[in-house]
Amino acid sequence: MATKDDSNRNNKKQLKLNSMFDAAYELFVTKGVNETAIDDIVKKAGVAKGTFYLYFKDKYDITDQIVLGESTLILKEAMHATMKEGIDNFIDATIFFIDHVIEHFKNNKKQLKLMYKNLSWGLYRKAIADPNNYTEMRELAELVFNNIEGSGVKREELDKTMFMVIELTGSVAYSSIILEEPAPIDEMKPILFKTIRKMLG
Amino acid sequence: MATKDDSNRNNKKQLKLNSMFDAAYELFVTKGVNETAIDDIVKKAGVAKGTFYLYFKDKYDITDQIVLGESTLILKEAMHATMKEGIDNFIDATIFFIDHVIEHFKNNKKQLKLMYKNLSWGLYRKAIADPNNYTEMRELAELVFNNIEGSGVKREELDKTMFMVIELTGSVAYSSIILEEPAPIDEMKPILFKTIRKMLG
Amino acid sequence: MATKDDSNRNNKKQLKLNSMFDAAYELFVTKGVNETAIDDIVKKAGVAKGTFYLYFKDKYDITDQIVLGESTLILKEAMHATMKEGIDNFIDATIFFIDHVIEHFKNNKKQLKLMYKNLSWGLYRKAIADPNNYTEMRELAELVFNNIEGSGVKREELDKTMFMVIELTGSVAYSSIILEEPAPIDEMKPILFKTIRKMLG
Amino acid sequence: MATKDDSNRNNKKQLKLNSMFDAAYELFVTKGVNETAIDDIVKKAGVAKGTFYLYFKDKYDITDQIVLGESTLILKEAMHATMKEGIDNFIDATIFFIDHVIEHFKNNKKQLKLMYKNLSWGLYRKAIADPNNYTEMRELAELVFNNIEGSGVKREELDKTMFMVIELTGSVAYSSIILEEPAPIDEMKPILFKTIRKMLG
DNA sequence: GATGAATGAGTCTTCATTCAT
DNA sequence: GATGAATGAAGACTCATTCAT
């Protein structure tokens, strides 16, 4: 049985962990990952340096965890919104989903920067490999996008096409939101969506 | 009038410069930019450390120059090849051009890595701003791609669409050549090209 | 009277202690003392870090205890073997004894390394100071080597000479077994024994 | 041609180097190698930390150089003294030589500690491998000890026996000078020398 | 007795940049 | 212009030890 002592201790533990996550996130987003020293993180979090190494292998460990966690949140949120919308067409649902994510990043430019520079497919592959994790996400994805019929793309090409859709969206979102290049995101969106429709149509 | 001494001096200067460029390129490509110290560069180039700072502001200065120079070379080459092909249809020409670049990087994976991580639109913007520079490139581009009629995209949307084509190509090339994700480049190419045709059609 | 609870507790205590000894010995022998952190020991032993400090002052405390314990075992064993041999000549007995120890270390190179680097006369002095301890060993030594007549060395010089014999044996064994320097132990042995005979003769 | 500038610079370089050697030696001898941080060395030497790494790979690099350098000095000195003595008998010369070294260490206990803990045959092997180095030493050794006839040891066993003599001397010197164990060096010497005579006789 | 989270001083190492020559 | 010795701030990481529970 878990005693009151144990739970107290675990609470404290979680508190420390959270304060490190928060501090790191804040710093990564404002100064960038490379410009953030572990010293900065622990000072901001109010813990000792050793504590950091108690929980993380190095800076890239905490970076990965943060990026993965945040991106999961964003994706889940977008899926929930898409589901709630009750769109029964695959392409429309995809566009709605993408729009939702883009809108999120329009309001979180710094976060976008962090995600874009530090999120890799490899990271996702590793995360998904753990079956305990990500069951909810997989279930969600199935619910939202299972209606494959809506796409004109052949089944065997759909995965690769979806990969391209995602990569394209990422590139365009990053470039237009962060650099306003070649145009601000709101000018890019219609063309992006038109393109995506063509890709999936 | 330039004296013989002057030209000797200039030759020597150019020699030093070149040896630094060569050394840096070699190191960047093998070890990566971040893992290369300026010390490594000057040692390999056979010049003194101070000499580096005579010619470059810092490591990112020389990185930019190298990346820009190499990418210009690659693009020019691809344009020449496309021109020589004498394709009179815009989409076909674009596809041929892209294929040429992809093939180049298939044989130069390490270079692709370097370019992808260090080439930014900002860099190009700065470079193109100098009118002396890049006249040849602009002329080439005009010769190769001036036949806009071939595209079904509206004139006012063409720039943005081309931007997307380039971004998509970059993403897919990098991912499939370097990481073989989601599939090796040769499996991705047909779908990529089909997609580009849709985008421009 | 010792209750059953007491003995249970003592058993548990002894178990923890043993697992720490075993873990430390294993690690010292494979990685070396300096390269072994207390963290390694407790993890391997399956006890908490605090527990270590309940039983040992620091790493050198457990090192000393291990080294002393192991060396005592080895010496006792060699004495028993020598006794069993029933050699009635002091020099022959000594040589037999030394040979036994050398053979042991030939088969336990890593242990030899640990012992040689961490066994000091000071350690022995401290241990022997406790009269409770080492009575068995003293008795054994007397039984085995009491027949002093066999040596040509003057009584008052014998202790010092024996000290030299031991030091020489240690040096030579370590060097020739671990480093094969200046020659492998089997080449060194005849000369070592001839030398020892000269020293004691 | 070396300019005045060059030599000035080299002088300064040598000055820094020497101050590091001196500082390190002083600290190693007083606090021990393990207890000396590189920080201590550079602070004492009055140079920047980077300067240390300009000249040495790590602490063990400078340790090796110091130990090797000092030991070479001591040996050369002892050889010169032995030569000057004009002893024509191998054993007598050896004893004289060893006595000289022991006397040196009697007056430099801390140095003995440093040497004993950090001098290894491996170190010597590496140093002697460089032919430029150590020619003087080899020549000296030949001059001093070439008269092999004085020894009763068979030629093929002499090397190994000399190795033992050296190891024994080292062990006894260290133990009796530093720990006065089993007796002070002056009590040990006659017996040590008698033993060495037996070994070589 | 036992635990293990937390500590933070200590240590090594790198490297961009300067500047006297 | 060229050199390269010197710098020292900056950063990563370790680990013996403590102590509240």
Side-chain angles (χ1 to χ4, degrees):
Chain A
M1 192 194 93
T3 67
K4 199 174 139 197
D5 275 10
D6 276 352
S7 83
N8 259 339
R9 195 183 280 181
N10 280 333
N11 278 345
K12 268 195 187 169
K13 201 175 146 174
Q14 197 58 45
L15 240 63
K16 299 248 171 212
L17 202 53
N18 282 343
S19 75
M20 279 191 281
F21 271 128
D22 292 349
Y25 178 77
E26 193 62 27
L27 288 163
F28 287 170
V29 146
T30 32
K31 314 181 14 175
V33 173
N34 281 326
E35 288 67 34
T36 299
I38 291 187
D39 229 54
D40 301 334
I41 299 174
V42 296
K43 254 173 208 150
K44 184 157 192 152
V47 301
K49 210 181 253 168
T51 309
F52 179 90
Y53 287 96
L54 213 52
Y55 292 100
F56 307 104
K57 206 182 130 287
D58 53 26
K59 198 167 63 176
Y60 300 101
D61 188 7
I62 194 175
T63 307
D64 283 357
Q65 292 193 37
I66 285 176
V67 165
L68 207 54
E70 292 290 317
S71 70
T72 305
L73 280 182
I74 296 165
L75 294 185
K76 273 188 192 164
E77 232 248 46
M79 286 182 185
H80 275 125
T82 309
M83 211 161 53
K84 219 157 83 187
E85 205 66 11
I87 307 170
D88 64 353
N89 170 280
F90 175 73
I91 295 181
D92 288 341
T94 302
I95 297 275
F96 182 90
F97 175 84
I98 286 175
D99 189 44
H100 195 277
V101 174
I102 287 178
E103 285 300 310
H104 170 89
F105 282 128
K106 252 174 68 183
N107 302 317
N108 294 274
K109 292 191 184 188
K110 301 243 178 171
Q111 195 195 36
L112 170 57
K113 222 170 178 169
L114 176 62
M115 304 275 117
Y116 193 71
K117 299 259 178 207
N118 294 94
L119 189 52
S120 72
W121 291 103
L123 194 54
Y124 256 101
R125 218 180 312 136
K126 238 187 300 169
I128 293 175
D130 181 356
N132 295 64
N133 241 323
Y134 287 75
T135 47
E136 192 196 346
M137 190 125 155
R138 267 195 297 267
E139 283 163 19
L140 258 176
E142 218 150 286
L143 276 170
V144 179
F145 299 113
N146 62 344
N147 179 14
I148 267 173
E149 309 307 327
S151 162
V153 176
K154 275 180 278 181
R155 211 167 226 292
E156 63 266 30
E157 290 183 1
L158 188 63
D159 275 0
K160 288 173 188 132
T161 304
M162 280 306 284
F163 172 83
M164 287 189 195
V165 168
I166 292 167
E167 288 279 314
L168 178 61
T169 303
S171 291
V172 170
Y174 180 77
S175 186
S176 62
I177 291 177
I178 305 296
L179 317 166
E180 310 221 318
E181 195 81 38
I185 181 65
D186 288 323
E187 279 180 48
M188 291 303 287
K189 256 209 235 168
I191 311 183
L192 174 64
F193 290 164
K194 194 193 282 184
T195 299
I196 292 176
R197 284 186 185 280
K198 280 186 190 170
M199 290 170 79
L200 294 175
Chain B
M1 195 193 91
T3 67
K4 198 172 141 195
D5 270 15
D6 277 352
S7 83
N8 260 340
R9 202 178 289 165
N10 280 332
N11 276 347
K12 267 192 188 168
K13 207 175 137 173
Q14 196 58 45
L15 239 64
K16 299 231 179 236
L17 203 52
N18 281 344
S19 73
M20 278 190 282
F21 272 128
D22 292 349
Y25 177 77
E26 194 62 29
L27 288 164
F28 287 169
V29 147
T30 29
K31 315 181 10 177
V33 173
N34 281 327
E35 288 66 35
T36 299
I38 289 177
D39 216 61
D40 299 334
I41 300 174
V42 296
K43 251 175 208 149
K44 185 157 192 154
V47 301
K49 220 171 194 171
T51 309
F52 180 90
Y53 288 93
L54 238 41
Y55 292 96
F56 306 104
K57 199 180 138 289
D58 54 26
K59 197 167 64 176
Y60 301 101
D61 188 8
I62 194 176
T63 307
D64 283 357
Q65 293 192 37
I66 284 176
V67 166
L68 207 53
E70 292 290 318
S71 70
T72 305
L73 280 181
I74 297 165
L75 294 184
K76 274 188 192 164
E77 232 249 47
M79 286 181 186
H80 276 126
T82 309
M83 212 161 55
K84 218 157 83 188
E85 204 69 9
I87 307 169
D88 63 354
N89 171 279
F90 175 74
I91 295 179
D92 288 342
T94 302
I95 297 273
F96 182 90
F97 175 84
I98 286 174
D99 190 44
H100 195 278
V101 174
I102 287 178
E103 286 299 312
H104 169 87
F105 282 127
K106 254 174 64 183
N107 303 318
N108 294 275
K109 292 192 183 188
K110 300 242 177 173
Q111 195 195 37
L112 170 57
K113 224 170 179 168
L114 176 63
M115 304 273 116
Y116 192 72
K117 298 259 179 207
N118 295 93
L119 188 53
S120 73
W121 290 103
L123 193 55
Y124 255 100
R125 220 181 313 136
K126 238 188 299 170
I128 294 175
D130 180 356
N132 295 64
N133 238 324
Y134 286 76
T135 47
E136 190 195 348
M137 190 124 155
R138 265 194 298 268
E139 284 165 16
L140 257 176
E142 218 151 287
L143 275 170
V144 178
F145 299 114
N146 62 345
N147 179 14
I148 266 174
E149 308 310 325
S151 162
V153 176
K154 275 180 277 181
R155 209 167 229 292
E156 63 267 29
E157 290 183 0
L158 187 62
D159 275 1
K160 290 172 187 132
T161 304
M162 281 305 284
F163 171 84
M164 289 190 194
V165 168
I166 292 167
E167 289 280 315
L168 178 61
T169 303
S171 291
V172 170
Y174 180 77
S175 186
S176 63
I177 291 177
I178 304 295
L179 317 167
E180 309 221 318
E181 197 80 40
I185 181 64
D186 288 323
E187 280 180 48
M188 290 304 286
K189 257 210 234 170
I191 312 182
L192 174 64
F193 290 164
K194 195 193 283 185
T195 299
I196 291 175
R197 284 185 184 282
K198 281 186 190 171
M199 289 169 79
L200 294 174
Chain C
M1 192 192 95
T3 68
K4 199 174 141 195
D5 270 14
D6 276 353
S7 84
N8 259 340
R9 201 178 290 165
N10 280 332
N11 276 345
K12 266 194 187 168
K13 207 175 135 174
Q14 196 57 45
L15 239 63
K16 299 234 177 234
L17 204 53
N18 281 343
S19 73
M20 280 190 280
F21 272 129
D22 291 349
Y25 177 77
E26 193 62 29
L27 288 163
F28 288 170
V29 147
T30 29
K31 315 182 11 177
V33 174
N34 280 326
E35 289 65 35
T36 299
I38 288 176
D39 216 60
D40 300 335
I41 299 173
V42 295
K43 251 176 209 146
K44 184 154 195 158
V47 301
K49 219 171 195 171
T51 308
F52 180 90
Y53 287 93
L54 238 40
Y55 292 96
F56 305 104
K57 199 181 137 288
D58 55 25
K59 196 166 67 176
Y60 300 101
D61 187 9
I62 194 176
T63 308
D64 282 358
Q65 292 192 39
I66 285 176
V67 166
L68 207 54
E70 292 290 317
S71 69
T72 304
L73 280 181
I74 296 164
L75 295 185
K76 273 188 193 164
E77 232 249 48
M79 286 181 188
H80 275 125
T82 309
M83 210 162 54
K84 217 157 84 188
E85 205 68 10
I87 307 170
D88 64 352
N89 171 280
F90 175 74
I91 294 179
D92 288 342
T94 302
I95 297 274
F96 182 89
F97 176 83
I98 285 174
D99 189 44
H100 195 278
V101 175
I102 287 179
E103 285 301 311
H104 170 88
F105 282 127
K106 253 175 68 184
N107 302 319
N108 294 275
K109 291 191 185 189
K110 300 242 178 172
Q111 195 195 38
L112 170 56
K113 225 170 177 169
L114 175 64
M115 305 275 116
Y116 193 71
K117 299 260 179 205
N118 295 94
L119 188 53
S120 71
W121 290 103
L123 193 54
Y124 254 101
R125 219 181 313 136
K126 238 187 301 171
I128 294 175
D130 181 356
N132 295 64
N133 239 325
Y134 287 76
T135 47
E136 191 195 348
M137 190 125 154
R138 265 195 299 267
E139 283 162 18
L140 258 176
E142 219 149 289
L143 275 170
V144 178
F145 298 114
N146 62 345
N147 180 14
I148 266 174
E149 309 312 322
S151 161
V153 175
K154 273 179 278 177
R155 210 166 227 294
E156 63 267 30
E157 289 184 1
L158 187 63
D159 276 0
K160 290 174 187 128
T161 304
M162 279 308 280
F163 171 85
M164 288 190 194
V165 168
I166 292 166
E167 287 281 313
L168 177 62
T169 303
S171 291
V172 170
Y174 180 77
S175 186
S176 64
I177 291 178
I178 305 295
L179 317 167
E180 310 222 316
E181 195 81 38
I185 181 65
D186 287 324
E187 280 180 47
M188 290 303 287
K189 255 208 235 170
I191 311 182
L192 174 65
F193 291 164
K194 194 194 284 183
T195 299
I196 292 175
R197 284 185 185 279
K198 279 186 191 169
M199 288 168 80
L200 293 175
Chain D
M1 191 195 95
T3 67
K4 198 174 141 196
D5 275 11
D6 277 353
S7 83
N8 259 338
R9 195 182 279 180
N10 280 333
N11 278 345
K12 270 194 185 169
K13 201 175 145 174
Q14 197 59 46
L15 239 63
K16 299 247 173 212
L17 202 53
N18 282 343
S19 74
M20 279 189 283
F21 272 128
D22 292 349
Y25 177 78
E26 193 62 29
L27 289 163
F28 287 170
V29 146
T30 32
K31 313 181 13 177
V33 173
N34 280 326
E35 289 65 34
T36 299
I38 290 182
D39 229 54
D40 301 335
I41 299 174
V42 296
K43 252 172 208 151
K44 183 155 194 155
V47 302
K49 215 182 241 170
T51 308
F52 179 89
Y53 287 97
L54 214 53
Y55 292 99
F56 307 104
K57 204 181 133 289
D58 53 27
K59 197 167 66 178
Y60 301 101
D61 188 7
I62 195 176
T63 307
D64 282 358
Q65 292 192 37
I66 284 176
V67 166
L68 207 54
E70 293 291 317
S71 70
T72 305
L73 280 182
I74 296 165
L75 294 185
K76 272 188 194 164
E77 232 248 48
M79 286 182 187
H80 275 125
T82 310
M83 211 163 52
K84 219 157 83 188
E85 205 67 10
I87 307 170
D88 64 352
N89 170 280
F90 175 74
I91 295 180
D92 288 341
T94 302
I95 297 274
F96 182 90
F97 175 84
I98 285 175
D99 188 45
H100 195 277
V101 174
I102 287 179
E103 286 300 311
H104 170 89
F105 282 128
K106 253 175 66 184
N107 302 318
N108 293 274
K109 291 191 183 187
K110 301 243 177 170
Q111 195 196 38
L112 169 58
K113 223 169 177 170
L114 176 63
M115 305 275 116
Y116 193 71
K117 298 260 179 206
N118 295 94
L119 188 54
S120 72
W121 290 103
L123 192 55
Y124 255 100
R125 219 181 312 137
K126 238 189 300 171
I128 293 175
D130 181 355
N132 295 63
N133 241 325
Y134 287 75
T135 47
E136 191 195 346
M137 190 123 154
R138 266 194 297 266
E139 284 164 17
L140 258 176
E142 217 150 289
L143 275 170
V144 179
F145 299 113
N146 62 344
N147 179 16
I148 266 175
E149 310 308 325
S151 162
V153 176
K154 273 181 278 179
R155 210 167 227 292
E156 63 266 31
E157 290 184 2
L158 187 63
D159 275 359
K160 288 171 188 134
T161 304
M162 279 308 281
F163 172 85
M164 288 190 194
V165 167
I166 292 166
E167 288 280 314
L168 177 62
T169 303
S171 292
V172 169
Y174 180 76
S175 186
S176 63
I177 291 178
I178 304 296
L179 317 167
E180 310 221 317
E181 194 82 39
I185 181 66
D186 288 323
E187 280 180 47
M188 291 303 286
K189 256 209 235 169
I191 311 182
L192 173 64
F193 289 163
K194 195 192 284 185
T195 300
I196 292 175
R197 284 186 184 280
K198 280 185 190 169
M199 288 169 80
L200 294 175

